[in-house]
Amino acid sequence: MDPAQLLTAERALHRRAAMAGEAASAAGVPGRFRAWEHAGSLAVLATDPALAYLSTVTGVTPETLPEVAGLLRSPEWDGVHPAVVAPAGLPVPGLVPAGERFLAVRGLEPTPASPGEQADAEVFVRVLLTGFGVTGPVAEFMAAEHRLPIMRRFLLREGETPIAAAGMTIDAGVAILGAASTLPEFRGRGAQPTLLRHRLEAAAAEGCTLAVATARPGSPSVANLERAGFRLHRRTAWTP
């Protein structure tokens, strides 16, 4: 895939993270949130220890790498040590590898159609959080993010019972696939592949030309994304 498309995908994810942080701050989620750009790299900060996984530096390329050290010295981090997420094979001086991640990207053909029905926000959030089994600041952050007015919320039902949830936002023709979960008692029935297909159809109907998601190697999401035609770009997380 064209490196410019990968950067477009990473920038769309970064803007989504910025909006999620603003929503979390407005909802009173613990800690301080900020997203900013430094010499081409994309920084996201969340200071509460429970949300440490959100603190990252992305958009790292051979061209932007020389400025990463300066970014990491910024007082903005306030003692937080973000993960620097770089393409596989691009070492980050002074840091050590701490696991791998995937940036999943797929091109879309716009297919004008009527938008689908929007799921009730509170029902959606309840199913999503129950499926993840999260509590505390993580649950509060996810709830704030998925109550955003721009969030497209998809629910899958079995009869009248909502059994799975998945979110999506759209940013300048890029569909950003967000969190998705299935209630434990309904897993193994193909709920997530179905919701993935529904989101891609909705994105194409709204004129999107690109879809992006993130995933960790070995997770069920990886197989679902591959089957749905996504190309997986391996990234390495680097930490002190």
Side-chain angles (χ1 to χ4, degrees):
M1 177 168 283
D2 182 348
Q5 282 190 306
L6 292 178
L7 185 55
T8 294
E10 289 196 297
R11 287 185 178 280
L13 285 165
H14 185 253
R15 288 190 291 270
R16 161 76 173 262
M19 288 187 289
E22 290 170 2
S25 292
V29 178
R32 183 167 64 89
F33 301 90
R34 190 185 172 208
W36 73 102
E37 182 174 342
H38 174 87
S41 293
L42 309 170
V44 175
L45 167 70
T47 59
D48 189 273
L51 299 170
Y53 66 94
L54 296 171
S55 293
T56 56
V57 174
T58 59
V60 179
T61 67
E63 293 73 30
T64 63
L65 182 59
E67 300 296 331
V68 168
L71 171 59
L72 296 178
R73 290 194 295 269
S74 169
E76 281 290 339
W77 296 109
D78 193 23
V80 173
H81 300 290
V84 178
V85 183
L90 181 63
V92 180
L95 303 181
V96 296
E100 292 185 318
R101 306 179 185 184
F102 283 124
L103 177 65
V105 182
R106 180 193 147 164
L108 296 174
E109 290 291 336
T111 308
S114 300
E117 181 181 353
Q118 178 77 306
D120 177 81
E122 296 312 309
V123 174
F124 174 92
V125 167
R126 174 176 56 80
V127 173
L128 185 73
L129 298 185
T130 302
F132 274 107
V134 292
T135 58
V138 175
E140 293 173 36
F141 180 88
M142 291 180 66
E145 179 182 17
H146 287 85
R147 289 186 178 112
L148 280 166
I150 65 166
M151 184 67 63
R152 273 73 164 176
R153 291 175 284 267
F154 298 78
L155 278 174
L156 190 66
R157 298 177 183 271
E158 191 167 281
E160 296 298 316
T161 302
I163 66 168
M168 179 178 77
T169 55
I170 293 176
D171 179 327
V174 180
I176 302 115
L177 307 185
S181 73
T182 303
L183 298 180
E185 61 270 33
F186 295 100
R187 290 175 185 161
R189 305 185 190 184
Q192 287 309 319
T194 298
L195 284 173
L196 179 54
R197 185 176 68 253
H198 288 174
R199 285 183 288 173
L200 293 176
E201 290 171 352
E206 295 201 37
C208 291
T209 57
L210 201 65
V212 58
T214 58
R216 293 185 181 274
S219 69
S221 297
V222 170
N224 290 337
L225 290 166
E226 284 188 306
R227 283 193 292 266
F230 281 79
R231 184 173 178 181
L232 303 178
H233 300 269
R234 194 175 293 273
R235 299 291 196 255
T236 302
W238 296 81
T239 57

